[in-house]
Amino acid sequence: MKITYYGHSCVELESKGIKVMVDPFISGNALAGKIDISKLNPNYILLTHAHYDHILDAETIAKQCNAKILSNPEITNYYGNKKIETISMNVGGVFSFGSVGEVKMLQAIHSSSFPDGTYGGLACGYLFKFENRVVYIAGDTALTYDFKLLPFIYGFIDLAVLPIGGNYTMGIEDAITASKFMKVKTILGCHYDTFPVIKIDHVYAKKKFKEEEKELILLSIGKDIQINFAQEI
Ligand code: NI
Ligand code: MN
């Protein structure tokens, strides 16, 4: 499975020809200027909540490649009205990608409204079981004791994509506690550096994770990682 980082909280999982993008915010991200969104062609776009820094490019990308938008009813109603094909579910629900795997929608501790103030439903995160690997994409969230439940759903998590920028979400220390709660060793950081208020010190962040025997990966925008490491505690 390949995971590509498109900046801020936008990642794309690719497995067996299926591409699943989460939270496209590229054209409004000054750090992601090299990414040409006209070349992106996911099959599915999953949205964690309706804040603009997660949905900005969802409509453009969905329309250019006929991607389906999967999210909660408040968000899928909004895109359904724009003639985009949607998949509506809510926290606790599971969607199957056929032989590739499935995704479960789980709650995040965060607010959610569209840029015009319209209610965006519950903010969520997504737990993927893809190729028998487990990847958790937290979305915007604070630290919550519920992270302890995650290894009980699909087994141990191979990779967690966690916000680490603070202010709107968990910062470095809380993300380390979250990693301990969910027993994950490898963390891909997101939701940092995009705005002045969420700028982090990369060296410090990696050091703090390493002190707890965790690996924090900070990918350059447009770069990817392959996941084929064994599951272990
Ligand atoms: Ni948000
Ligand atoms: Mn955000």
Side-chain angles (χ1 to χ4, degrees):
M1 179 192 339
K2 184 167 92 168
I3 299 185
T4 308
Y5 182 56
Y6 288 112
H8 198 53
S9 287
C10 183
V11 294
E12 186 180 75
L13 278 61
E14 183 176 357
S15 169
K16 295 180 187 165
I18 299 268
K19 292 181 181 177
V20 180
M21 178 173 278
V22 180
D23 286 357
F25 172 72
I26 298 162
S27 64
N29 182 354
L31 304 178
K34 282 186 190 160
I35 305 296
D36 178 358
I37 64 169
S38 72
K39 297 216 166 83
L40 301 174
N41 57 354
N43 304 92
Y44 300 90
I45 299 171
L46 275 54
L47 301 175
T48 62
H49 63 296
H51 287 159
Y52 83 102
D53 61 319
H54 297 258
I55 66 164
L56 185 70
D57 298 313
E59 182 176 348
T60 304
I61 297 170
K63 283 183 172 167
Q64 78 190 10
C65 62
N66 287 319
K68 294 175 185 165
I69 292 184
L70 183 154
S71 195
N72 66 27
E74 290 80 3
I75 293 175
T76 55
N77 285 346
Y78 175 86
Y79 287 104
N81 288 336
K82 294 175 179 289
K83 306 274 182 266
I84 293 168
E85 200 175 336
T86 61
I87 298 160
S88 184
M89 53 198 273
N90 219 322
V91 286
V94 172
F95 177 76
S96 171
F97 298 101
S99 64
V100 176
E102 64 184 42
V103 65
K104 186 165 198 171
M105 183 187 275
L106 297 165
Q107 70 170 347
I109 306 297
H110 195 68
S111 62
S112 177
S113 55
F114 286 91
D116 68 359
T118 310
Y119 176 58
L122 283 180
C124 75
Y126 293 103
L127 185 66
F128 290 87
K129 188 179 184 190
F130 252 42
E131 294 178 12
N132 286 319
R133 298 295 181 207
V134 182
V135 176
Y136 177 56
I137 296 181
D140 282 5
T141 186
L143 178 62
T144 164
Y145 207 69
D146 287 351
F147 289 139
K148 291 207 168 199
L149 291 170
L150 293 175
F152 291 91
I153 298 174
Y154 293 130
F156 289 104
I157 297 167
D158 293 288
L159 179 80
V161 182
L162 301 182
I164 55 171
N167 195 70
Y168 303 111
T169 66
M170 297 191 284
I172 294 159
E173 282 73 17
D174 282 354
I176 290 169
T177 306
S179 311
K180 290 180 186 171
F181 280 0
M182 63 183 83
K183 295 185 173 168
V184 67
K185 272 185 169 177
T186 310
I187 296 93
L188 176 63
C190 72
H191 217 275
Y192 64 93
D193 285 1
T194 318
F195 315 113
V197 76
I198 59 171
K199 272 214 183 331
I200 64 157
D201 179 331
H202 294 204
V203 173
Y204 171 82
K206 288 181 178 180
K207 180 172 150 276
K208 295 303 280 184
F209 275 82
K210 202 169 180 189
E211 283 172 6
E212 303 294 337
E213 294 174 352
K214 311 273 181 203
E215 184 192 6
L216 175 67
I217 299 169
L218 300 177
L219 282 178
S220 299
I221 294 173
K223 296 288 185 226
D224 59 71
I225 47 172
Q226 300 280 342
I227 298 189
N228 51 12
F229 38 86
Q231 291 186 27
E232 51 186 311
I233 297 173

